[in-house]
Each structure stands twice: as C-alpha cells, then as structure tokens.
C-alpha cells in the first residue's frame, strides 16, 4: 500500500522549533521530488518548500526562507521539514506530497498525499 505519513506537529510558542517528518511506505521516496504544503483555517493551501530527487536541490517560499530547512534521508525513506523561529502565522496543517517536479518551491503535479500534521504556534 502506497502511503505517506506526516508526524512531528504540535503546539509551540513563537520562536520555538519543530521538525516534521514525512515517511513513505509502499514505494521509494528518493525517486520523487517532495513538496511540503500548508493550509491554515479559512485560507488556501500554499506551497512551502520543495526538494529535488536526484540532486536534492532545496527551495523555499519567501515566507519561510531562512527559517525552514527541508532535507531527505533516503536510508529511512523519509523527508524532513525543520522549522525554526516559528511564528503564529505558521499555524496550519502541513502536508507532504510527491511531485512531478519542483518549480522553485512549488511542487508541480502533486500525487501521493499524507493526512497532514497540525502545527500551532501560540503564546
């Protein structure tokens, strides 16, 4: 069964950090570019970051550049999103997905999706 599972979300205070994980089962993650999206209540889903497949190039939206780091551990079949200096506006459900390609931070042709993990940043 092909599946992506996100984990690592939670409730943190502004300025703190979280690391999200996107674990794949049923297929090999390193064959795909992987994107992270987020969706806050009442807002459209937005792309946050994308990591290439072969060269592992990384890309970030302006809203997270310098604070978030995307990486992949092919041995663990997992992609991570390290989120530092979190702000209340980062509050959202975060999803990972396989991509046809990264166009900068935008994940084109998303295919397999995880169920999402909630990140809440509040004092």
């Amino acid at each position: 069964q092909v599946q992506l599972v996100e984990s690592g979300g939670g409730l943190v205070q502004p300025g703190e950090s979280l690391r999200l994980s996107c674990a794949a089962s049923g297929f090999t993650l390193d064959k795909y570019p992987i994107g992270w999206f987020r969706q806050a209540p009442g807002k459209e889903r937005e792309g946050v970051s994308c990591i290439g497949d072969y060269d592992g190039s990384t890309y970030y939206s302006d809203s997270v550049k310098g604070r978030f780091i995307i990486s992949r551990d092919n041995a663990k079949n997992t992609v991570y999103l390290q989120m530092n200096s979190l702000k209340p506006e980062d509050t959202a459900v975060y999803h990972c997905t396989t991509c046809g390609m990264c166009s900068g931070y935008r994940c084109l042709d998303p295919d397999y999706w995880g169920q999402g993990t909630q990140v809440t940043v509040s004092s």
Side-chain angles (χ1 to χ4, degrees):
Q1 181 182 2
V2 173
Q3 194 174 12
L4 284 175
V5 178
E6 301 96 335
S7 61
L11 171 63
V12 296
Q13 295 187 346
E16 294 186 338
S17 299
L18 283 173
R19 188 178 77 159
L20 305 185
S21 299
C22 172
S25 60
F27 70 104
T28 303
L29 207 56
D30 64 1
K31 298 185 184 303
Y32 296 88
I34 301 296
W36 282 96
F37 288 83
R38 66 186 182 186
Q39 187 163 21
K43 295 188 177 181
E44 292 189 357
R45 186 177 64 200
E46 63 169 336
V48 171
S49 183
C50 198
I51 185 167
D53 47 358
Y54 295 108
D55 63 2
S57 296
T58 58
Y59 308 92
Y60 305 92
S61 68
D62 287 344
S63 62
V64 306
K65 192 176 298 181
R67 300 188 297 122
F68 290 12
I69 301 170
I70 190 172
S71 62
R72 61 196 315 155
D73 185 336
N74 293 333
K76 294 184 178 180
N77 213 24
T78 300
V79 169
Y80 301 99
L81 187 68
Q82 176 68 41
M83 306 188 298
N84 302 318
S85 302
L86 282 162
K87 303 176 181 180
E89 51 264 43
D90 295 318
T91 296
V93 176
Y94 284 72
H95 296 268
C96 62
T97 179
T98 57
C99 313
M101 64 176 292
C102 296
S103 176
Y105 71 88
R106 294 181 176 87
C107 168
L108 302 186
D109 300 323
D111 193 358
Y112 300 125
W113 290 84
Q115 82 291 345
T117 186
Q118 175 70 48
V119 172
T120 303
V121 185
S122 175
S123 55

